[in-house]
Amino acid sequence: MYHAIVRRKITNAFAGLSAGRIEAITGELAPNAVHYFVGTHALSGTRRTPEAIRAWYERLLRLLQGISFTLHEVRVSDWPWRTQVEAIWTETNHGTDGVKTSAEGVNLIEVRWGRVTSVRIYPDTAALAKTLMRIAAKGTVEALAPPITS
């Protein structure tokens, strides 16, 4: 039963983000949550404060406009004091230039007593880098900005 509840919360969070509601994600985070995105680009880095995490999601929605996630699988394991979640997804977006792109990835999420304490995001970094370079070349300077970190 507990795993089903966690699975539903994760699914709802991705659906909320797909609808542009950042609070669908940030509302699930513990105050001391760590948010990590692999790579060396405008969306990479580690954030350790609620303000930096929110700023990252705001940037994500600005750069990858119309982003929408399709969850293929949400795997939940372990106990309430340290639950592990793997969310396997495909995302589509149309960037700031209107060109539709798609990429796959996985989020590794740790949940402790119902609050997300860690999010590690591993997308197709080659596809993301190509998208960021393309939209930067068309005038979206933020696509080349330094990562938001804290």
Side-chain angles (χ1 to χ4, degrees), residues 5 9-10 12 15-17 29 38 46 48-49 60-61 66 75 81 92 100-101 105 132 139 149-150:
I5 292 168
K9 287 180 83 153
I10 298 299
N12 289 343
L17 184 58
L29 299 176
V38 70
T46 302
R48 298 177 187 279
T49 66
L60 174 73
L61 294 179
R75 300 176 187 158
W81 51 89
T92 57
K100 187 175 181 178
T101 61
L132 292 174
T149 59
S150 60

Side-chain angles (χ1 to χ4, degrees), residues 30-108:
N32 63 341
V34 176
H35 184 274
Y36 170 78
F37 195 102
V38 70
T40 53
H41 47 73
L43 293 173
S44 67
T46 302
R47 286 143 297 279
R48 298 177 187 279
T49 66
E51 298 79 18
I53 294 169
R54 180 168 188 80
W56 184 90
Y57 280 102
E58 290 168 349
R59 177 179 281 179
L60 174 73
L61 294 179
R62 280 193 305 274
L63 293 176
L64 304 182
Q65 295 178 1
I67 194 166
S68 179
F69 291 89
T70 300
L71 283 175
H72 303 292
E73 193 168 350
V74 178
R75 300 176 187 158
V76 181
S77 60
D78 296 327
W79 301 100
W81 51 89
R82 189 163 185 246
T83 306
Q84 302 298 314
V85 180
E86 301 167 37
I88 302 165
W89 47 263
T90 299
E91 65 86 10
T92 57
N93 71 80
H94 57 266
T96 56
D97 61 358
V99 175
K100 187 175 181 178
T101 61
S102 182
E104 296 178 342
V106 64
N107 284 23
L108 302 178

